[in-house]
């Protein structure tokens, strides 16, 4: 019998934030990781939206839901430690939960600032801190942050979202260095627009001409949640054991221009 593929995730226990059924990318990541053999802990605020994702997964009974509000930053390490103590150490964390939106300069105030940075950046850092606690990370564990091409390129009307996703790139690099001694990797996947509810919202705010220009900015067309999920699964797997601190655009060629 041939050895298992290093891309497999068999028996890895992986925490996926933002895994609600109505999050196209989070749900897509959960489906792909479960298909590759991982046992998942699905996180978000709404338990029913997590249960709905769980019901869609292969071997649904092997997966758990763990509702938590990730803006409660100080509680994150204890919450993650409890997940590890009750079900076994984690072979990975995917942080897909995010505050997305539009924030023209005229509307930006301190409350808005907090809304983006608390979950997009603060929770990302506290999840890394959580993973370094004794007994929480399994051998070969890694973190994958879901960023955005908005953090790599300017986007009109999205200053706060873009700033938070750019900060996530810096978080990825520093966390990768800080966790390397423990053998824990950290990487970031930066999608461009992916088909689903958020893309629909985005396109509905634009004129027909702007819509055409945005579609044309993706030489391979608009992506699917599975395109992001495949990259995440690879980065979590042993096939990526020598990859850390990187940002991988998954963008149909958006960043190549
Ligand atoms: N969609 C795109 O085209 C696109 C493009 C580039 C990058 N991205 C990035 O990809 C990721 C997923 O995007 P998406 O569009 O699929 O997601 P989405 O529909 O915006 O879903 C956001 C997820 O985050 C969870 N969440 C929000 N606030 C939370 C909090 N305080 N505590 C815990 N969970 C919270 C939500 O669940 P609850 O509401 O139940 O808490 C939900 O599961 C995000 O990081 C986004 O920035 C998306």
């Amino acid at each position: 019998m041939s050895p298992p593929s290093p891309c497999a995730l068999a028996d890895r226990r992986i925490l996926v934030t933002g895994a609600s059924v109505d999050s196209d990318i989070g749900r897509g990541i959960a489906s792909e990781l479960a298909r590759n053999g991982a046992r998942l802990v699905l996180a978000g605020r709404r338990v029913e939206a997590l249960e709905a994702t769980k019901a869609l997964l292969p071997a649904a009974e092997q997966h758990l839901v763990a509702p938590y509000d990730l803006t409660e930053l100080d509680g994150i390490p204890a919450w993650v430690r409890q997940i590890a103590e009750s079900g076994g150490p984690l072979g990975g964390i995917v942080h897909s939960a995010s505050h997305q939106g539009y924030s023209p300069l005229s509307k930006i105030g301190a409350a808005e600032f907090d809304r983006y940075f608390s979950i997009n950046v603060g929770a990302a850092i506290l999840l890394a801190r959580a993973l370094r606690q004794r007994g929480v990370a399994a051998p070969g564990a890694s973190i994958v942050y879901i960023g955005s091409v908005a953090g790599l390129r300017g986007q009109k009307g999205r200053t706060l979202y873009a700033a938070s996703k750019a900060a996530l790139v810096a978080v990825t690099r520093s966390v990768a260095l800080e966790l390397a001694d423990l053998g824990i990797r950290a990487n970031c996947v930066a999608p461009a627009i992916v088909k689903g509810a958020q893309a629909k919202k985005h396109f509905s705010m634009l004129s027909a001409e702007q819509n055409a220009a945005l579609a044309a900015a993706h030489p391979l067309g608009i992506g699917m949640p599975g395109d992001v999920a495949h990259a995440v699964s690879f980065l979590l797997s042993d096939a990526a054991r020598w990859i850390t601190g990187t940002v991988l655009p998954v963008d149909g060629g958006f960043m190549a221009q």
Side-chain angles (χ1 to χ4, degrees):
M1 209 169 76
S2 54
S5 161
C7 293
L9 297 173
D11 296 327
R12 286 267 187 117
R13 203 159 177 256
I14 295 172
L15 170 64
V16 182
T17 75
S20 323
V21 74
D22 50 357
S23 164
D24 295 289
I25 292 179
R27 185 190 64 241
I29 291 169
S31 299
E32 178 63 13
L33 301 187
R35 191 167 75 96
N36 292 338
R39 288 178 298 123
L40 304 180
V41 181
L42 307 171
R45 287 165 300 186
R46 291 162 301 144
V47 69
E48 64 289 350
L50 300 173
E51 291 287 2
T53 297
K54 181 180 153 179
L56 297 172
L57 301 179
E61 71 289 349
Q62 289 193 18
H63 311 291
L64 295 176
V65 303
Y68 186 80
D69 183 343
L70 288 158
T71 61
E72 300 291 336
L73 298 182
D74 284 337
I76 289 176
W79 170 65
V80 174
R81 191 174 58 240
Q82 193 273 328
I83 288 170
E85 281 172 0
S86 59
L90 294 170
I93 296 179
V94 181
H95 183 42
S96 182
S98 166
H99 182 71
Q100 297 191 65
Y102 298 86
S103 45
L105 286 174
S106 57
K107 296 211 168 127
I108 293 175
E112 277 287 282
F113 194 90
D114 215 45
R115 208 164 289 144
Y116 285 90
F117 274 77
S118 179
I119 182 157
N120 297 7
V121 184
I125 295 170
L126 269 295
L127 285 166
R129 176 175 165 189
L131 201 53
R132 67 184 299 288
Q133 297 171 108
R134 191 183 296 272
V136 169
S142 77
I143 304 177
V144 178
Y145 295 123
I146 308 301
S148 168
V149 292
L152 307 174
R153 278 278 180 87
Q155 286 202 349
K156 200 172 163 185
R158 301 199 94 185
T159 299
L160 279 180
Y161 179 67
S164 70
K165 292 298 189 179
L168 192 56
V169 172
V171 169
T172 303
R173 294 186 178 132
S174 292
V175 160
L177 294 179
E178 199 152 336
L179 295 183
D181 285 351
L182 298 173
I184 300 172
R185 300 176 294 108
N187 291 290
C188 178
V189 168
I193 291 187
V194 164
K195 262 186 197 135
Q198 293 292 345
K200 224 171 172 177
K201 201 153 98 190
H202 195 94
F203 279 114
S204 74
M205 292 166 65
L206 305 175
S207 67
E209 250 172 30
Q210 288 170 322
N211 265 310
L214 187 57
H218 297 74
L220 294 181
I222 302 301
M224 300 297 288
D227 295 319
V228 178
H230 293 145
V232 170
S233 186
F234 163 70
L235 286 170
L236 286 168
S237 77
D238 287 341
R241 60 180 288 276
W242 208 45
I243 301 176
T244 195
T246 64
V247 180
L248 176 62
V250 176
D251 66 351
F254 182 90
M255 289 300 301
Q257 301 162 92

